[in-house]
Amino acid sequence: MEDLGQSLREGLGTLGSMSVKGFDRAKQFSQEKMGNAVKTEYDLEYAQLSARVEATQTNINKSANAARNFLQPNTAARLEDMFNEKVTGRGNALDSRSTYSEILGTHMKAGGTEIGDNTQIGGSLVEVGDTFIRMGKMEKEYLRDVYDNFFKPFSNHLQVEWTNINTEKRRLDLARLDLDASKSKVRGARTPEAMQQNEQKVRESQAAFDRQYEQTKILLTDADRKSAEFTNHLEEFVRSQINFHENAKKLLEETY
């Protein structure tokens, strides 16, 4: 009902709150909330489809946010990346920002050099530092792969697909209000002329509702089908994880 209220507010804003159609929508909406109006219910197939796509969108959104946190745990760096991606257009700094492994390796190598790489501790620090610097560079490649093949497809799905779906669902809500308001006027008609005029309005509203229903259902069905493709992106994410950890393990084993 909250979504319907939003649709109604937008519809009133578009048509003008004093228009006849706007008044009829507001009246129908108010009577529905009070339980005093007959409401056209969407069929079970549509309701299940809509609920499934909405649940998918919600959880993809959560996964995308978690993926961004996974790619960059540092809050300040994450906010900087988001700002540059959305505002400046410079994109993120995954390729240029040092990873924690590189930072650790750099400190180790500098410390070992200062102590003296001809000593046992100094030489060990330099060797392990070099290993972590190399592992940090591998990590950059891994994070870029995850960003391009996992995070971006999820985010693009939210920004493009769901915006269109929400628009069409709101239009369908308004078309449904128009249809039920027209039916209500038929039931309240007091003269044959009013009855005939209102029945014509019902036919027009029904046709508009049917067109919008089919348009919305097409978008929902397409989104539902495309959502299955995200299994491929999840597989890419797992593959990236496996490759990085296997290569990191080999690199560490070569050191000790």
Side-chain angles (χ1 to χ4, degrees):
M1 185 64 74
E2 183 178 347
D3 292 339
L4 182 56
Q6 177 66 23
S7 299
L8 178 62
R9 285 190 292 273
E10 293 182 5
L12 290 176
T14 300
L15 294 171
S17 58
M18 297 305 293
S19 71
V20 174
K21 182 177 286 189
F23 175 79
D24 289 343
R25 287 173 176 173
K27 180 180 178 181
Q28 178 68 24
F29 177 73
S30 299
Q31 289 179 338
E32 287 177 3
K33 290 201 70 173
M34 293 185 294
N36 297 329
V38 178
K39 176 182 175 181
T40 298
E41 299 291 346
Y42 300 125
D43 63 69
L44 181 61
E45 180 184 4
Y46 173 86
Q48 291 177 338
L49 175 63
S50 180
R52 184 167 62 250
V53 171
E54 185 169 352
T56 300
Q57 184 271 340
T58 298
N59 286 284
I60 284 178
N61 188 21
K62 291 179 180 178
S63 295
N65 289 334
R68 183 180 283 280
N69 296 345
F70 173 83
L71 288 166
Q72 180 48 258
N74 184 289
T75 303
R78 189 165 63 246
L79 291 174
E80 179 185 359
D81 283 346
M82 292 173 66
F83 179 81
N84 286 331
E85 288 170 7
K86 297 182 178 181
V87 179
T88 68
R90 292 199 297 265
N92 60 64
L94 284 176
D95 300 321
S96 59
R97 183 185 293 117
S98 295
T99 64
Y100 290 120
S101 296
E102 286 180 294
I103 294 171
L104 174 61
T106 300
H107 282 294
M108 283 185 170
K109 188 173 181 179
T113 301
E114 184 176 345
I115 293 170
D117 57 9
N118 58 337
T119 65
Q120 184 176 4
I121 182 62
S124 295
L125 280 170
V126 169
E127 183 177 13
V128 174
D130 276 332
T131 297
F132 272 86
I133 290 173
R134 290 170 60 193
M135 189 162 65
K137 295 184 185 305
M138 287 169 41
E139 189 176 0
K140 282 183 179 178
E141 296 176 0
Y142 152 70
L143 291 174
R144 171 56 62 187
D145 188 39
V146 171
Y147 181 85
D148 289 339
N149 296 313
F150 176 68
F151 176 74
K152 281 181 67 177
F154 270 47
S155 298
N156 289 338
H157 180 78
L158 296 174
Q159 294 172 2
V160 178
E161 305 288 347
W162 194 246
T163 298
N164 295 336
I165 289 171
N166 271 339
T167 298
E168 297 306 320
K169 287 179 71 175
R170 286 194 292 268
R171 288 173 177 170
L172 180 61
D173 285 338
L174 294 176
R176 202 273 305 159
L177 279 173
D178 291 341
L179 175 60
D180 288 337
S182 299
K183 291 179 178 179
S184 179
K185 285 188 175 182
V186 169
R187 289 189 291 271
R190 298 186 178 183
T191 66
E193 292 77 11
M195 174 71 75
Q196 185 177 9
Q197 183 179 8
N198 291 332
E199 285 177 343
Q200 176 61 29
K201 184 61 178 177
V202 168
R203 287 191 290 271
E204 293 172 358
S205 298
Q206 184 70 59
F209 172 82
D210 290 342
R211 286 193 300 270
Q212 186 59 42
Y213 173 84
E214 289 302 321
Q215 175 64 23
T216 306
K217 191 173 182 180
I218 287 171
L219 286 178
L220 286 169
T221 301
D222 188 52
D224 193 40
R225 177 185 59 79
K226 287 182 178 179
S227 293
E229 299 172 3
F230 279 79
T231 302
N232 298 330
H233 301 305
L234 290 170
E235 290 174 354
E236 285 294 312
F237 177 52
V238 173
R239 178 194 57 76
S240 296
Q241 286 270 321
I242 292 172
N243 289 343
F244 169 70
H245 288 293
E246 284 184 345
N247 291 331
K249 180 175 180 290
K250 290 178 183 177
L251 185 61
L252 291 171
E253 288 174 342
E254 290 172 3
T255 304
Y256 279 100

